[in-house]
């Protein structure tokens, strides 16, 4: 068997090398084809969605898959252009995210792309000058690829990818693929935002039509306000919606209606103008927003009443700064998107509907009040022109007849009847004077006096009490009884501030057809057995003095409840 000539092996070796090179190029071409195919699938997948949150989720998932990254995130730049308002992640479990703590706000390497919106590729992100480490419980990350996402002419956010699988670095091809995906992502985000805006506009139009229909059908004011708050909360995705209206003569606001999380606790709260978001909007006559209602130092009045709430907006209900009839407050949970300018414009138009509802309700109240005053004038005129004249004539007749009565006892009775008629005429004249008296002649209304007293107590208690008032307090409660109500309210709130050590106080004042009922409830330490104090004795004596009662009890959750009642009809002194 002969030995093969080395020269004859060289062409074969050269052929093997060429075949291997060809195979490598075929594999590379196949890999490029597969990657292009994957990129096209990702673009189609991202563009298929119309819901913005789903679009963003698809984008970050597709980016991680295309470059085989272990971790990926998409940060949405907030309205200030410096921080991130949203941060979506891939590769981290919910438990890991919870251990890490608050989501990034856009500092360090993440902020580098915000300041310089250009692709950034790093072999070791910890070596970059903008890096300052990871928070506790954060997984280690080494390689990094960041690419901005542009929507038309604005930078919407950034794609962040770390730790390419297999320990490899991100290369120029990875950067090119993600840059291509970001262009498609920008188009998909724009489409989703336009679709979202059109859907939201349609919902606003439907809500406006619904409110207009209720206004024209004469629905009660509170029903229209509830509809306004409910629709605004649904369309904006807010967790809380409340309507605060000004209290005459106090300079404060009171929450008349509250829906959503914590609504039951907010209803009836007295809201100071200073140090509150609603108060700022009321004073400015323009919308006021905040990125974090619970943490904003500008609106710190009321302590922790907004724990768990983040972005919020307060919109005045009126057309001019000096014609604001109330404030609509909308608050989202922490971590939710901020209220954008695109959301504020239709919200302002919607607030105009609310202002119209309040104005229409005020006009109806004025018309009812005018009708009541006219009716009182008519009654007073009839009493003066008919009843008094007849009584006077009857008295004159009896007085003349008394001279003709021979029996001494009968004459005395006739004289006494004339005196009674004279006293009756005086009573009727006093009633006429009361019927014709105007509010400006009788001083501030009971509602205004109660609201002012409750608002002033907030400084003593350290928090604003809840206040609710029902019934015809300003027309059916006599001035004398109203003074007793105010004295009882002042004494009760003073006791709560000095002795109860409460964190919540609720005041309810209700006028029925027969009586006025003042109820003050707190969650303090309650009234100990045998611990009746002078303040309670004063309240009980005051109630008995006007024919009323005082009930002292304790609600189911602890604390104390005082119910002070007084009849509206005059008490017979006999």
């Amino acid at each position: 068997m002969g030995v093969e000539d080395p020269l004859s092996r060289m062409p074969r070796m050269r052929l093997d090398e060429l075949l291997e090179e060809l195979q490598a190029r075929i594999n590379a071409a196949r890999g490029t084809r597969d990657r292009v195919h994957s990129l096209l699938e990702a673009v189609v997948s991202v563009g298929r969605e119309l819901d913005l949150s789903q679009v963003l989720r698809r984008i970050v998932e597709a980016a991680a898959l295309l470059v085989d990254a272990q971790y990926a995130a998409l940060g949405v730049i907030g309205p200030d252009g410096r921080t991130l308002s949203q941060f979506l992640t891939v590769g981290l479990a919910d438990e890991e995210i919870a251990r890490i703590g608050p989501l990034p706000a856009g500092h360090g390497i993440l902020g580098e792309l915000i300041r310089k919106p250009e692709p950034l590729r790093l072999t070791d992100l910890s070596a970059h000058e903008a890096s300052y480490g990871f928070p506790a419980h954060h997984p280690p990350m080494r390689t990094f690829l960041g690419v901005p996402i542009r929507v038309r002419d604005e930078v919407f956010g950034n794609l962040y990818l770390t730790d390419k699988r297999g320990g490899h670095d991100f290369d120029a091809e990875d950067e090119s693929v993600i840059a291509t995906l970001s262009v498609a992502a920008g188009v998909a985000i724009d489409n989703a935002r336009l679709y979202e805006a059109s859907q939201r506009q349609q919902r606003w139009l439907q809500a406006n039509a619904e409110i207009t229909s209720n206004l024209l059908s004469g629905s009660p004011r509170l029903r229209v306000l509830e509809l306004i708050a409910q629709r605004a909360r649904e369309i904006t995705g807010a967790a809380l919606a409340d309507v605060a209206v000004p209290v005459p003569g106090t300079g404060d606001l009171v929450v008349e209606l509250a829906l959503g999380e914590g609504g039951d606790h907010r209803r009836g709260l007295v809201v100071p103008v200073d140090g509150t978001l609603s108060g700022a909007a009321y004073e400015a006559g323009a919308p006021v927003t905040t990125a974090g209602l619970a943490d904003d130092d500008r609106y710190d009045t009321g302590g922790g009443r907004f724990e768990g709430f983040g972005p919020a907006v307060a919109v005045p209900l009126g057309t001019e700064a000096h014609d604001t009839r109330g404030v609509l407050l909308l608050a989202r949970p922490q971590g939710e998107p901020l209220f954008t300018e695109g959301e504020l414009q239709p919200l302002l138009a919607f607030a105009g509907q609310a202002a119209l509802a309040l104005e229409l309700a005020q006009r109806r109240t004025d018309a009812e009040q005018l009708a009541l005053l006219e009716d009182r004038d008519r009654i007073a005129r009839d009493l003066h022109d008919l009843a008094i004249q007849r009584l006077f004539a009857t008295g004159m007749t009896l007085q003349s007849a008394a001279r003709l009565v021979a029996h001494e006892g009968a004459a005395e009775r006739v004289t006494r009847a004339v005196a009674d008629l004279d006293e009756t005429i005086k009573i009727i004249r006093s009633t006429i004077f009361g019927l014709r008296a105007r509010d400006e002649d009788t001083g501030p209304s009971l509602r205004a006096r109660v609201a002012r007293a409750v608002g002033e107590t907030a400084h003593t208690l350290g928090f604003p009490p809840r206040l609710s008032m029902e019934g015809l307090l300003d027309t059916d409660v006599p001035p004398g009884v109203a003074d007793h109500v105010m004295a009882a309210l002042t004494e009760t709130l003073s006791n709560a501030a000095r002795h109860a050590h409460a964190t919540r106080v609720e005041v309810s004042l209700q006028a029925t057809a027969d009586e006025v009922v003042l109820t003050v409830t707190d969650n303090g330490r309650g009234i100990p057995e045998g611990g009746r104090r002078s303040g309670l004795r004063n309240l009980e004596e005051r109630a008995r003095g006007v024919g009323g009662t005082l009930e002292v009890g304790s609600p189911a959750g602890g604390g104390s409840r005082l119910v002070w009642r007084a009849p509206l009809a005059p008490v017979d002194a006999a």
Side-chain angles (χ1 to χ4, degrees), residues 5-331:
D5 186 359
L7 295 176
S8 64
R9 290 200 303 268
M10 291 181 62
R12 186 181 301 171
M13 293 173 59
R14 180 62 178 162
L15 179 61
D16 290 341
E17 292 175 2
L18 290 174
L19 289 174
E20 289 177 1
E21 184 180 350
L22 179 60
Q23 185 64 44
R25 293 192 177 186
I26 291 173
N27 291 338
R30 184 181 293 115
T32 302
R33 182 199 64 187
D34 293 342
R35 196 162 199 181
V36 170
H37 183 70
S38 298
L39 178 59
L40 290 175
E41 284 186 343
V43 170
V44 172
S45 174
V46 167
R48 186 183 298 122
E49 293 290 343
L50 287 175
D51 181 76
L52 184 57
S53 60
Q54 290 297 322
V55 169
L56 299 180
R57 175 60 59 182
R58 287 287 182 91
I59 291 171
V60 69
E61 290 174 348
L65 184 64
L66 284 173
V67 297
D68 205 17
Q70 184 175 354
Y71 305 107
L74 192 155
V76 179
I77 300 176
D80 60 3
R82 299 187 304 273
T83 58
L84 299 176
S85 60
Q86 280 183 273
F87 197 77
L88 290 77
T89 62
V90 168
L92 291 173
D94 293 339
E95 296 79 9
E96 293 179 288
I97 296 174
R99 284 198 301 270
I100 293 172
L103 294 174
H107 306 295
I109 294 293
L110 304 186
E112 186 70 12
L113 260 74
I114 298 176
R115 293 185 292 272
K116 301 176 183 178
E118 299 173 356
L120 178 63
R121 183 158 42 96
L122 302 173
T123 301
D124 185 0
L125 58 85
S126 62
H128 194 277
E129 58 182 9
S131 176
Y132 59 83
F134 297 104
H137 308 294
H138 195 287
M141 296 179 180
R142 189 180 66 85
T143 57
F144 176 84
L145 174 60
V147 176
I149 299 176
R150 298 180 184 273
V151 177
R152 301 193 182 187
D153 295 330
E154 67 168 318
V155 179
F156 175 82
N158 297 300
L159 274 171
Y160 307 107
L161 301 117
T162 60
D163 287 5
K164 187 177 177 72
R165 298 183 189 276
H168 303 296
D169 293 339
F170 293 107
D171 54 25
E173 187 176 341
D174 293 327
E175 181 181 322
S176 177
V177 168
I178 296 302
T180 304
L181 177 65
S182 70
V183 174
V187 175
I189 291 171
D190 193 29
N191 289 337
R193 290 166 75 179
L194 290 173
Y195 177 77
E196 189 178 76
S198 66
Q199 292 294 102
R200 187 168 55 243
Q201 183 66 25
Q202 183 177 358
R203 295 179 68 186
W204 282 123
L205 290 174
Q206 291 174 347
N208 282 331
E210 186 178 5
I211 291 167
T212 301
S213 175
N214 276 267
L215 286 173
L216 294 178
S217 63
S219 295
R221 171 180 176 275
L222 195 59
R223 163 62 187 154
V224 177
L225 277 182
E226 182 178 0
L227 182 62
I228 289 169
Q230 182 64 32
R231 294 295 177 265
R233 176 171 168 258
E234 292 171 353
I235 295 174
T236 60
L240 170 70
D242 72 34
V243 177
V245 297
V247 181
T250 67
D252 291 331
L253 306 172
V254 63
V255 178
E256 185 172 11
L257 179 74
L259 303 175
E261 296 181 16
D264 292 338
H265 297 292
R266 283 192 56 76
R267 195 175 301 112
L269 279 179
V270 175
V271 181
V273 171
D274 295 331
T276 62
L277 188 70
S278 296
Y282 179 75
E283 277 198 323
V288 180
T289 61
T290 178
L293 188 56
D295 307 320
D296 199 320
D297 295 335
R298 296 173 298 170
Y299 313 115
D300 55 358
T301 301
R305 290 185 291 121
F306 290 106
E307 288 297 329
F309 288 105
V313 59
V315 184
L317 306 180
T319 55
E320 299 178 1
H322 302 293
D323 192 33
T324 303
R325 299 180 178 275
V327 178
L328 172 64
L329 173 69
L330 299 168

Side-chain angles (χ1 to χ4, degrees), residues 488-504:
L489 174 63
T490 304
E491 181 71 30
T492 306
L493 291 177
S494 176
N495 288 341
R498 287 182 296 169
H499 307 294
H501 300 287
T503 59
R504 186 180 73 252

Side-chain angles (χ1 to χ4, degrees), residues 215-529:
L215 286 173
L216 294 178
S217 63
S219 295
R221 171 180 176 275
L222 195 59
R223 163 62 187 154
V224 177
L225 277 182
E226 182 178 0
L227 182 62
I228 289 169
Q230 182 64 32
R231 294 295 177 265
R233 176 171 168 258
E234 292 171 353
I235 295 174
T236 60
L240 170 70
D242 72 34
V243 177
V245 297
V247 181
T250 67
D252 291 331
L253 306 172
V254 63
V255 178
E256 185 172 11
L257 179 74
L259 303 175
E261 296 181 16
D264 292 338
H265 297 292
R266 283 192 56 76
R267 195 175 301 112
L269 279 179
V270 175
V271 181
V273 171
D274 295 331
T276 62
L277 188 70
S278 296
Y282 179 75
E283 277 198 323
V288 180
T289 61
T290 178
L293 188 56
D295 307 320
D296 199 320
D297 295 335
R298 296 173 298 170
Y299 313 115
D300 55 358
T301 301
R305 290 185 291 121
F306 290 106
E307 288 297 329
F309 288 105
V313 59
V315 184
L317 306 180
T319 55
E320 299 178 1
H322 302 293
D323 192 33
T324 303
R325 299 180 178 275
V327 178
L328 172 64
L329 173 69
L330 299 168
R332 289 171 174 160
Q334 287 180 340
E336 291 292 312
L338 304 180
F339 286 89
T340 64
E341 188 65 28
E343 290 179 294
L344 292 183
Q345 292 304 320
L347 187 57
L348 274 173
F350 191 70
Q353 292 282 344
L356 178 62
L358 292 173
E359 184 174 356
L360 183 59
Q362 184 61 46
R363 293 292 181 268
R364 286 174 179 164
T365 301
D366 292 345
E368 292 171 358
Q369 186 71 16
L370 181 61
L372 175 64
L373 292 175
E374 289 177 349
D375 202 33
R376 288 166 62 175
D377 283 342
R378 179 187 59 78
I379 294 172
R381 188 170 54 253
D382 290 347
L383 286 174
H384 182 272
D385 296 343
L386 301 177
I388 288 182
Q389 298 303 327
R390 285 178 175 271
L391 288 174
F392 186 76
T394 302
M396 293 290 292
T397 302
L398 289 174
Q399 194 172 19
S400 299
R403 302 191 192 97
L404 304 177
V405 178
H407 192 276
E408 184 178 351
E412 182 181 354
R413 289 187 179 184
V414 171
T415 303
R416 194 161 58 243
V418 172
D420 289 342
L421 284 174
D422 189 47
E423 186 65 27
T424 301
I425 291 173
K426 291 179 181 179
I427 293 173
I428 293 176
R429 281 176 174 167
S430 176
T431 302
I432 293 172
F433 177 79
L435 287 172
R436 287 179 170 171
R438 296 294 187 266
D439 290 340
E440 55 267 24
D441 301 325
T442 58
S445 66
L446 179 58
R447 283 179 179 270
R449 294 167 68 189
V450 169
R452 184 186 299 114
V454 171
E456 291 172 351
T457 311
H459 301 289
T460 307
L461 291 170
F463 58 88
R466 284 181 57 189
L467 173 63
S468 63
M469 293 184 280
E470 298 180 24
L472 301 175
L473 296 169
D474 297 333
T475 55
D476 285 9
V477 181
V481 176
D483 292 339
H484 284 291
V485 169
M486 288 305 304
L489 174 63
T490 304
E491 181 71 30
T492 306
L493 291 177
S494 176
N495 288 341
R498 287 182 296 169
H499 307 294
H501 300 287
T503 59
R504 186 180 73 252
V505 175
E506 300 178 5
V507 177
S508 171
L509 184 62
Q510 182 181 23
T512 66
D514 305 317
E515 63 179 359
V516 59
V517 183
L518 172 67
T519 305
V520 180
T521 309
D522 65 65
N523 65 344
R525 61 184 183 181
I527 301 175
E529 293 292 334

